Amino acid sequence: MDHLDGRIRVVRGDITSLTVDAIVNAANRTLLGGGGVDGAIHRAAGPGLLDECRGIGGCPTGEARLTGGYRLPARHVIHTVGPVWHGGARGEPDQLAACYRNSLALAAKQGLRTVAFPAISTGVYGYPIEDATRIAVREVAAFLAGHPGIEQVTFVCFSDRDAAVYERECSRA
Ligand code: ADP
């Protein structure tokens, strides 16, 4: 469904199938691939992506790095490293917010107009989906308000349950 005059939409599905300027990868600090969405993106992009990631030399939590999209329909991949959930008192909310802000800042700097995000940190990293979604929607809505060059942000949810949480949170934005 569309929100904020179509500038935010929520879809259920596989982020690797999206034809957008950039998909965001919930990577780990090595940028050398992993499970979950990271594994799916590397499998779909092919070995060229891992080669480029090797040359970057890692990424601190909360920051973001840009690569090509290789065999993906997306032109670029923005790799960001979400926090591991330790209960919420170790800076996790600020780090997760930084992932969304830094990913979008990188996209804007490159002149990219359409960006798709997975639910960063809510898989293996254990961030509670409701809390993570609130941060994701708040940060994306705030960024879009100040950056008309970003046309549309897509939240890609892997489950119906996650999509319902995103839809509810976006209707409040
Ligand atoms: P993290 O380590 O940041 O928690 P995960 O990849 O384990 O990252 O999970 C992040 C989210 O991505 C979860 O909601 C998971 O269900 C979802 N996910 C996994 N594969 C895909 C995919 N191909 N497309 C979109 N979302 C995916």
Side-chain angles (χ1 to χ4, degrees):
M1 208 193 283
D2 285 1
H3 303 273
L4 276 186
D5 295 328
R7 291 183 76 202
I8 295 184
R9 66 176 178 148
V10 179
V11 304
R12 190 191 167 290
D14 179 351
I15 201 167
T16 64
S17 70
L18 264 69
T19 305
V20 287
D21 291 338
I23 62 171
V24 176
N25 181 16
N28 58 50
R29 283 189 302 224
T30 68
L31 298 187
L32 298 181
V37 72
D38 195 3
I41 288 172
H42 277 275
R43 272 193 304 278
L49 180 60
L50 186 57
D51 283 346
E52 186 175 354
C53 285
R54 275 201 193 96
I56 296 174
C59 177
T61 303
E63 294 191 15
R65 301 287 185 267
L66 185 81
T67 67
Y70 299 88
R71 295 177 191 157
L72 289 164
R75 279 168 49 213
H76 300 277
V77 179
I78 294 170
H79 306 261
T80 191
V81 182
V84 176
W85 178 257
H86 291 292
R90 293 204 207 163
E92 297 97 323
D94 288 344
Q95 287 175 327
L96 187 62
C99 287
Y100 286 94
R101 278 200 304 272
N102 287 327
S103 295
L104 288 171
L106 201 49
K109 196 171 128 207
Q110 296 290 325
L112 309 183
R113 306 180 74 81
T114 53
V115 180
F117 283 95
I120 299 164
S121 283
T122 68
V124 172
Y125 281 5
Y127 210 116
I129 183 74
E130 283 85 4
D131 295 342
T133 304
R134 211 169 298 126
I135 290 169
V137 173
R138 182 193 73 208
E139 292 302 325
V140 168
F143 194 93
L144 289 178
H147 295 82
I150 305 271
E151 274 169 23
Q152 189 176 57
V153 169
T154 304
F155 288 119
V156 185
C157 302
F158 214 44
S159 71
D160 287 336
R161 182 175 172 270
D162 289 356
V165 174
Y166 268 87
E167 290 288 3
R168 195 179 61 225
E169 210 48 54
C170 285
S171 344
R172 295 187 182 137

